[in-house]
Amino acid sequence: MADEPTQVAAEECVALGHEQQTLQAFAARQTHLGDLEIIRALPIREKRLVGPWCFLDRYGPLSFSDSKPMDVAPHPHCGLQTVTWLLDGEVLHDDSIGSQSLLRPGGVNIMTSGSAIAHAEQTPRENSGKLNGVQLWTALPDSARNRPASFQHVDDVPRLELPGGIVKVFAGALEIANSGGEYFSPIFGSELNVHLASELEVPLAPAFEHAVLLLQGDASLEGQPLDPRSLYYLGTQRLSVNFRSRAGAKILLIGGEPFQEKILMWWNFVARTPEEIADARKQWQARERFGEVKAYAGPRLDAPPLINLARPNPAS
Ligand code: MN
């Protein structure tokens, strides 16, 4: 048995890493997170990531009265960071290292799993009746993926006012706006607000690859109207990117140096080998390694079987 390779239905993901400018649309797919309908834009179908960004879920906009649209029970992560950014509403985060954080629009939650953490995310009891946001993951490079888990909350990220709009920087830096977020490879992440009937030009690092997702309103990029259900990949070697909007827009702009390592993604784990994934699954099921989310009332999520013909749905 020791010679048998471990069978895991993991996705092997590598950087897009286009060496020039480009503009390519990749259709996002519709899926669900518990009862919540979401759009998953990363990893894109060709199993690619943008810089270190390996996962992108878009949820909302939605309004609710007596329900609790987000209720993701405790689940484990390794080898990644979760980065949560809201346009409307609230998300309550609890984890197995005792962090608790109420996230609101304008702030960011950055959870670094290192070798192991578990967390739960839910709509808090007191809420605005709205939910609208994104959750992203970054793949941790080999030098950081076995570090101890940590959690960072930034209440109000730095913003840069430019002609025609505002850039809210939650990862990396743009000119004087430095997110202050702890990341482990060259990265950029922001929400762009394009004002009504305006044009916004955002400077870019040419060594980075970038992608954009329209979150709200209308916008065009190089004359191409953006569809909110597609991720637009821009390639590298751009000094800037230019958007126009008639009624105003909110746009997610992410990027980073093309990630140098090939990663394996399965359920909520980012690893390098099937054996690492099999070990992580076994340890979660045995209540080892990842700790307990004591602040969450209710059962935790069970890992799916390792060999799953249908790709397991990450709990983000
Ligand atoms: Mn998660």
Side-chain angles (χ1 to χ4, degrees):
M1 282 301 285
D3 298 320
E4 294 274 315
T6 306
Q7 296 290 310
V8 177
E11 287 187 298
E12 191 174 86
C13 300
V14 294
L16 276 155
H18 200 79
E19 288 179 1
Q20 296 127 39
Q21 296 184 17
T22 185
L23 181 56
Q24 300 172 39
F26 294 94
R29 53 195 184 279
Q30 195 151 7
T31 179
H32 56 89
L33 185 59
D35 294 336
L36 183 61
E37 291 283 327
I38 58 167
I39 292 173
R40 183 155 295 153
L42 281 178
I44 56 186
R45 210 168 280 284
E46 289 78 7
K47 298 174 183 154
R48 301 298 167 120
L49 33 83
V50 176
W53 300 107
C54 61
F55 183 90
L56 167 52
D57 268 359
R58 167 88 177 101
Y59 42 81
L62 58 95
S63 298
F64 55 94
S65 50
D66 55 356
S67 61
K68 186 176 177 180
M70 181 172 285
D71 188 3
V72 186
H75 59 278
H77 287 292
C78 63
L80 59 83
Q81 295 178 292
T82 64
V83 180
T84 312
W85 177 259
L86 295 176
L87 286 83
D88 296 298
E90 305 81 15
V91 170
L92 179 65
H93 161 98
D94 288 287
D95 64 38
S96 55
I97 55 171
S99 323
Q100 181 168 78
S101 170
L102 181 61
L103 182 66
R104 297 177 191 281
V108 66
N109 276 354
I110 306 167
M111 184 182 78
T112 302
S113 76
S115 59
I117 198 168
H119 73 151
E121 291 167 295
Q122 55 188 315
T123 301
R125 187 186 302 271
E126 291 190 18
N127 59 64
S128 59
K130 291 179 181 167
L131 183 63
N132 187 10
V134 292
Q135 185 174 96
L136 301 123
W137 298 353
T138 76
L140 289 171
D142 200 47
S143 56
R145 70 192 187 98
N146 293 313
R147 72 195 315 280
S150 59
F151 178 80
Q152 185 182 13
H153 170 82
V154 179
D155 209 42
D156 201 12
V157 306
R159 55 184 65 199
L160 186 69
E161 303 241 1
L162 294 172
I166 297 169
V167 184
K168 300 175 185 175
V169 183
F170 62 78
L174 181 63
E175 298 180 359
I176 58 162
N178 188 323
S179 72
E182 191 180 16
Y183 294 94
F184 298 90
S185 57
I187 196 168
F188 184 67
S190 64
E191 181 198 298
L192 315 177
N193 293 5
V194 190
H195 297 325
L196 178 91
S198 296
E199 182 176 343
L200 173 66
E201 184 166 7
V202 182
L204 299 178
F208 284 13
E209 55 181 349
H210 291 90
V212 301
L213 181 69
L214 178 64
L215 300 174
Q216 193 169 300
D218 71 278
S220 62
L221 194 174
E222 294 174 353
Q224 178 169 341
L226 298 182
D227 167 3
R229 305 176 82 84
S230 289
L231 184 77
Y232 293 84
Y233 176 64
L234 308 182
T236 55
Q237 304 304 322
R238 285 180 186 265
L239 297 173
S240 68
V241 60
N242 190 293
F243 301 93
R244 286 173 186 270
S245 180
R246 289 188 298 272
K250 293 186 176 183
I251 299 165
L252 182 74
L253 169 64
I254 57 172
E257 251 174 35
F259 201 67
Q260 297 298 313
E261 301 169 41
K262 192 184 282 184
I263 63 170
L264 277 184
M265 293 179 72
W266 182 85
W267 196 40
N268 306 308
F269 305 137
V270 172
R272 298 295 183 274
T273 66
E275 289 74 19
E276 287 178 9
I277 288 170
D279 285 348
R281 183 193 181 279
K282 191 174 165 190
Q283 287 160 335
W284 171 250
Q285 293 302 97
R287 295 184 172 261
E288 295 167 359
R289 175 174 162 184
F290 293 93
E292 300 292 331
V293 185
K294 297 196 175 99
Y296 184 88
R300 51 192 223 149
L301 295 182
D302 269 330
L306 273 181
I307 300 171
N308 225 337
L309 291 177
R311 193 160 9 86
N313 190 15
S316 77

